[in-house]
Amino acid sequence: MDTVTLLESLSNAFGVSGFEDDVRRVLHPLVAGLADEVRTDALGNLIAVRRGRTAPVLMLDAHMDEIGMIVNHVEDAGFLRFATIGGWDARILPAQAVTVRAQDGTLHRGVIGTLPPHLLSTEERAKPLPAESLFIDIGADSAAAVAARGVRVGDPATLAYPFERWPDGHVLGKALDDRVGCAVLVQVLAALRSRTPEMTVACAFAVSEEVGLRGARTAAYQLDPVIALAIEGTVAADVPGVAGARQVTRMGGGPAISVADRSIIVRPHLVRALERIAASRGIPYQLKTPLYGGTDAGAIHLNRAGVLAGGVSVPCRYIHTPLSLLRTRDVEDAVRLVTAFVEEAHTLLG
Ligand code: CO
């Protein structure tokens, strides 16, 4: 499958932390034909193992989950109250279209309702509304009408708009953090179809990264890797008004190699190896500015006696909003870099 089509199906899939079933359902058939073993663990991580010539495990991680909301109360008049899951910016929630996923898997459209400016004081208009004061309107006029649609307390929701293909190789969509990492893993497995890797490659499509790197922790325990890479969609802040370190990465600048973030300080020889591999193959790359963000590598490197772990990220503008923008060239270059790393990672051992 071409990368943009893959990104489209992954971005459009619903996958709030803890409710990643739909994303896993997209990924499972794709990796089944590319791996020697595919399984889903107790937390919902999807694990795909491609056996290499040797037993030591190279773990590649990308998280399936996206930030979202969870219904915590249904008003008599049919409005849904919610709590947030993961790191939202409170300013962007009001007046957005949402998708609520009922227990039976059906998706229901809604909108986070707001009052028109006519009804607000100048002061009220100037400050963001706390999530507790917001509500989702699914066009149901009573609690009974909500129940009749199968929607109930505990159902997840997220801001959602359909994926868009833009000119010059840009795509816009929700949850590119980290569906782009999932796409990279699938394409790396596809690239390994024709050659047996030296190390055994275990891909972990992890759950619940956005609420504390949870799936990656237990995936690392069971896979027991010696080397690992977390593949992320990360902050590109190459926009007006942001300069220097705060840009973190630049869209179009190639995959970003992590040096240090809030969850890990990558061993310098791993950073150098990734840089050397990129340079020797003519793959553009950039260093991700320290010390912003955190990734699954933070959980993985602390597994058992410690794992040589690092990160490669695809720059995405406007992450943690429903409309993230990325350049597919950066995705293709990330696939090339990670595939090359798979071929050379064993040289870091011993
Ligand atoms: Co992420």
Side-chain angles (χ1 to χ4, degrees):
M1 189 185 288
D2 75 277
T3 300
V4 174
T5 306
L6 185 56
L7 278 172
E8 179 170 30
S9 52
L10 287 168
S11 169
N12 284 339
F14 185 96
V16 170
S17 306
F19 301 89
E20 296 90 351
D21 309 56
D22 294 352
V23 180
R24 195 169 45 245
R25 214 163 281 139
V26 170
L27 286 167
H28 194 286
L30 295 174
V31 297
L34 302 171
D36 299 303
E37 183 198 333
V38 180
R39 64 175 188 271
T40 300
D41 73 8
L43 296 196
N45 294 310
L46 177 67
I47 311 278
V49 180
R50 176 82 163 87
R51 275 192 284 280
R53 271 189 286 270
T54 59
V57 171
L58 166 60
M59 175 179 176
L60 301 178
D61 166 283
H63 67 89
M64 295 190 288
D65 63 311
E66 64 191 290
I67 60 174
M69 291 146 269
I70 187 163
V71 177
N72 60 10
H73 180 70
V74 180
E75 301 272 354
D76 292 341
F79 300 103
L80 313 179
R81 296 288 192 167
F82 60 90
T84 53
I85 293 179
W88 284 107
D89 175 349
R91 295 172 308 159
I92 67 159
L93 289 172
Q96 300 273 13
V98 306
T99 295
V100 183
R101 187 182 190 278
Q103 242 180 5
D104 64 1
T106 54
L107 301 175
H108 303 261
R109 286 299 267 173
V111 59
I112 297 185
T114 51
L115 290 173
H118 317 63
L119 300 185
L120 298 175
S121 67
T122 315
E123 197 178 277
E124 282 172 325
R125 258 180 277 171
K127 61 180 180 200
L129 299 161
E132 297 77 40
S133 72
L134 300 174
F135 52 86
I136 297 170
D137 185 345
I138 61 169
D141 59 10
S142 67
V146 171
R149 294 190 197 179
V151 172
R152 41 180 255 169
V153 168
D155 288 344
T158 198
L159 307 190
Y161 301 96
F163 185 86
E164 297 181 32
R165 296 167 189 239
W166 283 9
D168 303 321
H170 294 82
V171 301
L172 183 84
K174 77 165 177 65
L176 297 178
D177 163 17
D178 184 27
R179 304 295 157 72
V180 66
C182 296
V184 169
L185 259 54
V186 171
Q187 299 299 53
V188 169
L189 281 172
L192 295 175
R193 198 164 22 196
S194 54
R195 46 195 140 143
T196 304
E198 183 63 26
M199 295 181 71
T200 292
V201 179
C203 291
F205 299 91
V207 298
S208 292
E209 188 269 356
E210 298 288 1
V211 287
L213 322 181
R214 295 174 187 172
R217 185 183 314 176
T218 61
Y221 184 87
Q222 62 189 281
L223 296 171
D224 196 14
V226 289
I227 304 180
L229 280 186
I231 318 301
E232 262 287 6
T234 200
V235 178
D238 52 335
V239 296
V242 183
R246 287 177 68 234
Q247 287 203 346
V248 188
T249 68
R250 288 172 300 105
M251 199 173 72
I257 298 169
S258 290
V259 177
D261 61 35
R262 297 211 178 277
S263 67
I264 183 174
I265 295 167
V266 180
R267 296 290 307 280
H269 70 287
L270 176 54
V271 176
R272 280 200 304 275
L274 284 162
E275 288 189 273
R276 188 172 8 92
I277 289 165
S280 71
R281 311 214 179 195
I283 303 167
Y285 73 94
Q286 54 189 315
L287 295 179
K288 184 180 160 190
T289 310
L291 262 158
Y292 295 95
T295 70
D296 277 342
I300 297 166
H301 84 298
L302 298 177
N303 185 56
R304 301 188 191 225
V307 178
L308 179 62
V312 169
S313 298
V314 176
C316 300
R317 288 183 188 157
Y318 324 122
I319 65 168
H320 289 215
T321 82
L323 299 162
S324 300
L325 185 68
L326 65 71
R327 257 180 94 160
T328 51
R329 248 317 265 287
D330 290 332
V331 188
E332 305 288 5
D333 286 332
V335 172
R336 290 168 63 209
L337 177 56
V338 176
T339 304
F341 183 77
V342 169
E343 287 167 1
E344 299 193 23
H346 63 280
T347 62
L348 291 165
L349 299 177

